[in-house]
Amino acid sequence: MYLKKIVLAVVGIGLVGGGLFAYKVYNAIFTPNTSFNSKEKIVFIPSDAGFAQVRDSLSSLLVDMESFEQLAVRKGYASNIKPGKYALKKGMNNNELINTLRSSNLPVKVSFNNQERVENLAGRIATQIEADSLSLLRAMNDPKFLGANELNEANKLSMYLPNSYEFFWNTSAEKFRDRMLKEHKRFWTDVRLEKAKDQNLRPDQVVALASIVHKETAKVDERPRVAGLYLNRLKKGMLLQADPTVIYAIKKHSGDFDQVIKRVLYADLEIDSPYNTYKHGGLPPGPITMPDVSAIDAVLSPEKHDYLYMVANVENFGYHKFAKSLAQHNRNKEQYVRWINSQRISR
C-alpha cells in the first residue's frame, strides 16, 4: 500500500512537472511577444548579420528576448539568418516572428530619375537598398561588364532607364546592375530597334539625342517636335548647337555637377569638349542625362517638319518658337534676348 502511494505521488509530480514544462513551452511559442503599440515595425537585417545583431535589432521590440532566442535556436534560425526587410506585426508570438524573419522578405520600390552621371545614380540607389554607393559604382564601372555589353565610359549611362522598380532590400550591387541590363534589353523591343534603324541611329545614340531633347524641353508634348528638329540638323550635316550640351561640358570640365547655369554665354561656346555641339559635329559621345522614356520615344517617332532652329518662347513659358530659316530664328531670338536681359540673368 505504501509503495502504491509512492508511485502515485511520483506520477503526480511528473504530471505536474510535465504540465508546467508544456505550459512553459506553449508560452514560449504561442504567447504574444511584441512590445510596440503600432500595427507593425519594419526591421532590416543586413547580409552579414549574425544572431547577435538580430537580437540587438529586436531588443526594443520584444517583451521576452530569452524565450525568443531559445525558440530561434530550436528552429535553426539562430544559425541561418536571412537578410532583408521584414514587417513585424503587433501581437506576433515567437513562432510567428521567427517564421516571418525566415521567409517573408519584403520587396522595396527603387526609383530614380534623370541623373547626369553614374556617380549620382549610385548615390541615389544606395539610399534605397543595402548596397552602398561605392560598391554600386564599382559594379557600374566594371570594365569586363562594360566591354561585354558594348558599353564604354561615355555611354554607360544609356543602360539605365528612369523608372520605379521592385527589388529586395538586400540586393547586391552586381544584381542591381544586372537587373538594369535586363530592363534595358526588355525596353529595346524589335519595334524600337527598327525605329532606331530608320533614324540611322544605334540605341545608345538614340539615348544620347534623347538626353538633349529631355534637357531642352520639359513639355512632353513638345519633345517629338524638338527631336524632329535635331534629326533634321543631323541629316543636313549641321552642328546641333544645343545649349544643354555646353552646360554639361562646363560641368564636366569643372567637375562641379551641382552648379546651376541658367544662361549660356558666347564665351562658353568656345569650351574645348567633345560635348560642345557648337564646335563638334554629330552627337556627343554619350548622354548628358538619363532621358525619360517620353524623350526616347520622341526620337524614335519624331514629328515630321522642316524646322531647323528654336528658341525659348517668352510668351508661352516652357515651350519654344521654331523656325525654318535663320532670318526667322534671329527675329525670334531678339525677343528672347530682350526678355532674358530684362531679367538680369547673367549666368
Side-chain angles (χ1 to χ4, degrees):
M1 188 69 176
Y2 180 72
L3 181 60
K4 185 178 180 180
K5 288 181 179 180
I6 291 175
V7 170
L8 289 174
V10 170
V11 170
I13 292 170
L15 289 173
V16 171
L20 289 173
F21 176 76
Y23 178 74
K24 185 176 181 180
V25 170
Y26 180 88
N27 279 342
I29 297 175
F30 298 112
T31 298
N33 194 25
T34 58
S35 62
F36 50 87
N37 294 319
S38 56
K39 289 184 178 181
E40 68 175 25
K41 285 288 186 179
I42 299 297
V43 175
F44 294 93
I45 307 297
S47 294
D48 59 352
F51 186 67
Q53 188 169 349
V54 173
R55 194 171 53 223
D56 289 343
S57 298
L58 300 180
S59 60
S60 63
L61 305 179
L62 304 186
V63 175
D64 183 1
M65 178 57 70
E66 183 179 353
S67 64
F68 171 82
E69 183 172 353
Q70 289 174 348
L71 188 61
V73 171
R74 286 180 175 274
K75 295 191 72 169
Y77 172 73
S79 58
N80 188 21
I81 305 301
K82 303 292 185 180
K85 173 187 176 182
Y86 300 95
L88 306 184
K89 307 293 184 181
K90 179 182 178 181
M92 275 185 165
N93 57 48
N94 286 331
N95 193 56
E96 292 169 329
L97 289 165
I98 292 168
N99 287 344
T100 296
L101 292 169
R102 189 160 57 184
S103 60
S104 298
N105 190 4
L106 296 175
V108 296
K109 285 286 186 183
V110 174
S111 302
F112 57 91
N113 54 9
N114 317 104
Q115 308 298 317
E116 290 182 319
R117 302 176 300 160
V118 292
E119 289 86 350
N120 301 107
L121 175 61
R124 170 79 173 144
I125 300 305
T127 65
Q128 301 174 75
I129 63 174
E130 182 183 16
D132 61 41
S133 58
L134 289 178
S135 63
L136 284 161
L137 199 54
R138 281 195 299 269
M140 293 172 182
N141 288 331
D142 180 20
K144 290 183 178 178
F145 174 83
L146 295 178
N149 293 286
E150 299 181 347
L151 296 168
N152 55 47
E153 180 64 26
N155 68 14
K156 61 191 176 186
L157 196 66
S158 64
M159 192 188 89
Y160 301 91
L161 292 168
N163 209 334
S164 292
Y165 302 92
E166 198 170 80
F167 284 90
F168 285 117
W169 174 78
N170 53 303
T171 298
S172 69
E174 290 77 15
K175 287 184 177 179
F176 169 80
R177 177 203 63 195
D178 294 346
R179 166 74 181 284
M180 290 296 95
L181 177 63
K182 289 181 180 178
E183 296 293 342
H184 172 81
K185 290 180 177 179
R186 186 179 294 119
F187 175 81
W188 283 102
T189 60
D190 290 341
V191 173
R192 283 194 170 103
L193 288 171
E194 189 61 32
K195 287 183 176 181
K197 187 177 179 181
D198 289 342
Q199 302 300 339
N200 198 30
L201 297 173
R202 301 187 309 268
D204 64 298
Q205 292 176 317
V206 171
V207 175
L209 181 54
S211 70
I212 298 174
V213 173
H214 177 99
K215 284 289 191 178
E216 284 284 16
T217 178
K219 303 296 185 181
V220 173
D221 60 325
E222 191 184 50
R223 284 176 174 168
R225 177 167 292 190
V226 174
L229 182 151
Y230 282 122
L231 287 166
N232 287 345
R233 294 183 74 94
L234 283 175
K235 289 171 184 176
K236 288 181 175 292
M238 300 173 65
L239 293 172
L240 291 184
Q241 295 183 326
D243 286 0
T245 66
V246 177
I247 293 172
Y248 182 85
I250 294 170
K251 290 181 176 182
K252 188 173 178 63
H253 179 75
S254 66
D256 180 7
F257 278 83
D258 293 326
Q259 62 182 302
V260 177
I261 300 173
K262 296 182 178 180
R263 184 175 187 177
V264 173
L265 307 176
Y266 284 112
D268 296 330
L269 305 183
E270 298 303 318
I271 187 170
D272 185 17
S273 168
Y275 290 91
N276 183 356
T277 56
Y278 278 83
K279 293 179 73 71
H280 296 274
L283 293 165
I288 59 174
T289 192
M290 293 177 192
D292 287 346
V293 171
S294 63
I296 296 174
D297 283 340
V299 174
L300 295 174
S301 300
E303 183 179 310
K304 303 297 183 182
H305 55 63
D306 296 323
Y307 295 129
L308 294 171
Y309 307 92
M310 69 179 187
V311 69
N313 187 347
V314 296
E315 297 172 339
N316 188 11
F317 288 105
Y319 288 93
H320 293 78
K321 285 189 173 183
F322 295 85
K324 299 177 182 179
S325 69
L326 182 58
Q328 182 185 2
H329 171 66
N330 285 337
R331 289 193 293 271
N332 294 337
K333 186 178 177 181
E334 285 177 5
Q335 184 182 29
Y336 169 73
V337 171
R338 284 196 301 271
W339 177 84
I340 200 169
N341 286 338
S342 71
Q343 300 301 307
R344 297 182 179 179
I345 299 174
S346 59
R347 190 58 169 155

